[in-house]
């Protein structure tokens, strides 16, 4: 099953926000004419994405479960939503593999039921999210954060 790409997820969040005007991205690997270019520029300007340590964004890279949690967490914070819920992930044997930047976002996403374990005792933080998994997680996000 196809994985969801980082540029694809950012484009979905951008469209959820009404596709606001965006400048150009500072990421060298985001071509100005790419379908995700405005979305990445908007997400970067609003602190939703930061890119990799080498300054690239990796728009075609498969998104990992922890990256998806971080994007959603930062988007929720940008929208002024309460992001204080924090689940205890110690029941997952691989919780120690969560990248430092993603610990709070993944605890939040798990508390809201957005990202649950891939098995009873594995959360698979660095596993890539399939398009189907990303669609389920985004649907849960919309349901859990919509007003009314």
């Amino acid at each position: 099953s196809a994985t969801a790409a980082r540029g694809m997820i950012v484009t979905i969040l951008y469209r959820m926000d009404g596709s606001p005007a965006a400048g150009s991205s500072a990421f060298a690997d985001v071509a100005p004419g790419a379908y995700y270019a405005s979305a990445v520029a908007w997400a970067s300007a609003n602190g939703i994405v930061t890119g990799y340590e080498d300054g690239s964004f990796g728009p075609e890279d498969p998104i990992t479960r922890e990256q998806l949690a971080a994007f959603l967490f930062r988007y929720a914070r940008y929208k002024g939503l309460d992001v204080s819920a924090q689940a205890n992930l110690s029941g997952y044997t691989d919780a120690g593999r969560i990248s430092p930047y993603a610990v709070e976002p993944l605890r939040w996403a798990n508390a809201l039921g957005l990202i649950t374990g891939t098995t009873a005792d594995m959360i698979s933080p660095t596993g890539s999210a399939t398009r189907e998994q990303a669609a389920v997680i985004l649907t849960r996000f919309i349901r859990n954060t919509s007003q009314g």
Side-chain angles (χ1 to χ4, degrees), residues 53-136:
E53 288 180 14
D54 68 1
S56 66
F57 180 69
E60 301 293 343
D61 292 356
I63 194 163
T64 65
R65 292 164 54 82
E66 67 181 12
Q67 289 168 0
L68 183 54
F71 287 10
L72 289 173
F73 176 82
R74 295 176 194 144
Y75 177 76
R77 192 172 54 198
Y78 156 77
K79 294 302 283 181
L81 301 172
D82 179 3
V83 292
S84 62
Q86 293 285 299
N88 179 342
L89 302 179
S90 64
Y92 295 110
T93 58
D94 58 352
R97 290 183 31 230
I98 301 169
S99 300
Y101 78 87
V103 171
E104 185 183 12
L106 205 47
R107 288 179 61 196
W108 166 81
N110 186 257
L112 265 61
L114 305 180
I115 297 178
T116 55
T118 51
T119 67
D121 62 351
M122 300 279 285
I123 196 150
S124 307
T126 57
S128 54
T130 65
R131 289 181 182 191
E132 292 81 3
Q133 289 168 339
V136 168

